[in-house]
Amino acid sequence: MTMFTDLTLLRGFVSIVDSGSISAAARHLHLTQSTLSRQLQNLEDRCGTVLLRRDTHRMRLTDTGHRLVADARALLALAEESEHRLRNEQTAVQGNIRIFATIDFGQSVVSRMIASFIQAHPTVTTELAYSNRPLHMIEEGCDAGVLVGNLNDETIIARSVGQITRYPVAAPVFLSERKSPKTPGDLQRWPWLSLSNAQFGGGASVEMYSAQGEQRFDIKPIMISEGVTSLREAIRMGLGVGVLPEWLIEDDLVSGRLVRVLPKWQARELPAHVVYPAQRRLPLRVRTFIDFAINYMSTVLKPDKR
């Protein structure tokens, strides 16, 4: 055990120096004079030397005492600052939040959500990381994330924020060159564009449903990408048909740049979640962000009715 193990001894020593006497310091610290004297003796024993020379008229620091009181002030100030910072984390919405999201969703919906959150809480700063392989981001120190797709990881807590509606779409110029399809099966031989990751609805098959039922068929994509934005650009140019999320193509559908193929049918919806560590005590700013994100997403996505 060292002299730095117990900050109480250092605090008492500094108070004696600042007050000019043990009796005055004891009154300031609400201790008895004998208790504070024992603490000083304990500290000197641990240091192995005298820190204060005392006689009936005055008290003065030794050379070691001068050095120790300076170090003690710095340590006590650091401890007080740390305690204040930790207390603020649980009582004030301020500080930095590290967030991650899938690339396309993060660059649009999540970015707008973060901007709204900072406007509501101007003492908060954020860092936004993008990853289409996001589960390791928690291990790298991120506080929370917004993920799309089914999750199966016991190290995180996943709060549902709704369902992402998706439609098969194509450009008018592409559709003008083809016979109008009657059923999803008519689309199987068309040129398809697809996401690479099955978690986000990609892969070599398409599942569609309507009031008439469900149909699933295999495809051989002519273009595979990790991001839906790149697929949208290629589909806009008339390269083929693909399944895209409603949040990405709303303006395209209104303007006519893209058209829903088989408007009575849609692709299987994808769940969206706000995720955060299961084993970590969350600061108030992170808890506040999580609640904000859940409420915000409920205005953007279709409610989860499961």
Side-chain angles (χ1 to χ4, degrees), residues 65-240:
H66 275 292
R67 290 191 294 270
L68 181 60
V69 78
D71 291 340
R73 293 187 197 280
L75 285 171
L76 292 171
L78 182 61
E80 183 178 349
E81 180 184 348
S82 179
E83 182 181 357
H84 178 72
R85 185 167 56 249
L86 291 173
R87 188 181 298 113
N88 279 345
E89 284 190 351
Q90 301 304 324
T91 60
V93 183
Q94 63 182 43
N96 191 58
I97 306 174
R98 296 187 64 194
I99 305 161
F100 65 93
T102 49
I103 295 172
D104 301 280
F105 203 48
Q107 289 178 332
S108 53
V109 178
V110 176
S111 293
R112 292 193 293 270
M113 177 192 69
I114 290 174
S116 297
F117 180 74
I118 293 176
Q119 288 170 342
H121 303 282
T123 55
V124 168
T125 60
T126 65
E127 299 175 50
L128 176 59
Y130 299 125
S131 175
N132 276 352
R133 300 178 180 86
L135 293 183
H136 71 282
M137 300 300 289
I138 292 289
E139 298 176 359
E140 294 187 0
C142 285
D143 298 300
V146 182
L147 298 184
V148 175
N150 295 308
L151 303 176
N152 184 22
D153 191 317
E154 295 180 353
T155 66
I156 62 174
I157 294 174
R159 301 273 297 277
S160 174
V161 293
Q163 299 281 313
I164 294 179
T165 303
R166 303 185 304 143
Y167 304 123
V169 296
V173 65
F174 175 85
L175 295 174
S176 67
E177 300 171 350
R178 286 164 177 80
K179 183 180 178 180
S180 296
K182 303 298 183 183
T183 68
D186 295 336
L187 306 177
Q188 185 171 14
R189 296 187 179 277
W190 284 16
W192 276 85
L193 294 79
S194 177
L195 285 169
S196 58
N197 196 322
Q199 177 184 341
F200 309 131
S205 64
V206 176
E207 184 179 359
M208 297 173 60
Y209 72 97
S210 72
Q212 303 173 34
E214 298 184 9
Q215 290 195 29
R216 182 187 181 98
F217 53 90
D218 294 333
I219 59 173
K220 294 181 179 179
I222 62 171
M223 178 178 173
I224 297 174
S225 173
E226 286 193 350
V228 289
T229 300
S230 61
L231 294 183
R232 181 191 64 180
E233 296 306 304
I235 293 172
R236 278 178 175 177
M237 293 183 64
L239 184 61

